[in-house]
């Protein structure tokens, strides 16, 4: 009976995620703009690369696991500070595995006292379904009599387009974007069709300088919706000496989030977040973990360092 109840609960959650959250969720959104907004590409005069790994609802059978690699740089194709980018994402949940690859271009221009990036992403998404997926207990969680579930492993590949605006001022940023703009349709011979719906994102953040110049408070907001449901993330980070940060976040009706990170002098940045689940899923999960590592190589800065010993390079 316990297995049956867990299975039914999983079906409800997977159905909710499939309908209301086609895109994976993240907690360190302030360091993951390129994943949702192509207008972010080329924001800094640097070559940037990042790798993020998220383990959601740890302990829950078939829980989502997401890996994202992003890279972007400033180039001079149309304007002097245009941006290009590249994004690869692997997202697994239950018997479903999604892989997406996108090329990104952003045209950047001065607007007021800041810069506006207008970006577009063009790529491919592959959806793989494995009907033989089973729980850790070994029980098959697929009803072979369901005509909507394929009887063998299937794949479908579709084009995917996104669009975004990202405005950056020295004290704040604003972002507005849409993913799956073309609303591509996956078609499976055995189980019919599956449509991607547009996901809309609004992001914003502010940098508050305190009387002590070593400390900054950085609140941020992410609102996303598919026009049928929505999700809101609110975070506040305190940054020390521009290199160490920590903070708290709240995802509406879902989790309280702890954020930690640091940036080393060689340009490497690492971060970690833990989601303390406050929804009914807390009975089945120990929370969610998210890790990221990033590197930025400044194209213009000349690093002049002196060392007392060649052993410390």
């Amino acid at each position: 009976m316990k297995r049956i109840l867990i299975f039914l609960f999983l079906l409800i959650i997977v159905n909710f995620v499939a309908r209301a959250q086609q895109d994976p969720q993240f907690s360190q959104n302030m360091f993951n703009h390129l994943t949702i907004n192509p207008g972010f590409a080329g924001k800094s005069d640097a070559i940037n690369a990042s790798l993020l790994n998220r383990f959601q609802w740890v302990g829950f059978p078939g829980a989502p696991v997401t890996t994202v690699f992003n890279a972007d740089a400033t180039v001079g194709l149309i304007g002097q500070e245009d941006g290009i980018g590249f994004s690869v994402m692997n997202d697994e949940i239950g018997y479903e595995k999604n892989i997406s690859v996108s090329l990104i271009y952003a045209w950047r221009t001065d607007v007021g006292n800041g810069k506006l990036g207008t970006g577009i992403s063009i790529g491919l998404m592959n959806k793989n379904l494995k009907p033989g997926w089973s729980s850790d207990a070994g029980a098959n969680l697929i009803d072979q009599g369901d005509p909507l579930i394929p009887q063998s492993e299937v794949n479908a590949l579709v084009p995917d387009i996104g669009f975004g605006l990202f405005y950056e001022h020295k004290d704040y940023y604003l972002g507005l974007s849409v993913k799956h703009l073309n609303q591509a349709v996956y078609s499976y011979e055995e189980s019919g069709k599956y449509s991607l719906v547009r996901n809309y994102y609004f992001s914003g953040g502010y940098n508050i300088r305190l009387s002590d110049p070593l400390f900054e408070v950085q609140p941020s907001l992410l609102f996303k919706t598919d026009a049928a449901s929505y999700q809101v993330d609110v975070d506040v980070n305190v940054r020390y000496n521009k290199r160490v940060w920590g903070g708290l976040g709240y995802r509406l009706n879902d989790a309280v989030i702890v954020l930690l990170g640091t940036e080393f002098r060689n340009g490497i940045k690492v971060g970690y977040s833990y989601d303390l689940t406050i929804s009914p899923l807390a009975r089945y999960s120990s929370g969610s973990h998210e890790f990221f590592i990033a590197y930025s190589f400044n194209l213009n800065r000349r690093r002049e360092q002196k060392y007392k010993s060649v052993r410390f390079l």
Side-chain angles (χ1 to χ4, degrees), residues 2-4 6-7 10 61-62 131-144:
K2 183 178 179 181
R3 289 182 180 177
I4 294 174
I6 292 176
F7 172 51
L10 175 63
W133 176 73
S134 61
S135 70
D136 294 338
N140 195 319
L141 299 182
I142 302 301
D143 181 2
Q144 298 297 330

Side-chain angles (χ1 to χ4, degrees), residues 272-285:
Y272 167 77
S273 68
Y274 172 72
D275 295 14
L276 176 63
T277 306
I278 59 174
S279 71
L281 276 173
R283 297 179 56 189
Y284 306 94
S285 165

Side-chain angles (χ1 to χ4, degrees), residues 11 95 142-151 190-191:
L11 286 181
Y95 52 83
I142 302 301
D143 181 2
Q144 298 297 330
D146 190 337
L148 296 180
I149 298 178
Q151 301 304 302
E190 297 181 8
S191 55

Side-chain angles (χ1 to χ4, degrees), residues 70-85:
N70 289 325
D72 73 294
T74 304
V75 295
L77 297 180
I78 298 177
Q80 294 299 314
E81 297 182 354
D82 294 346
I84 58 172

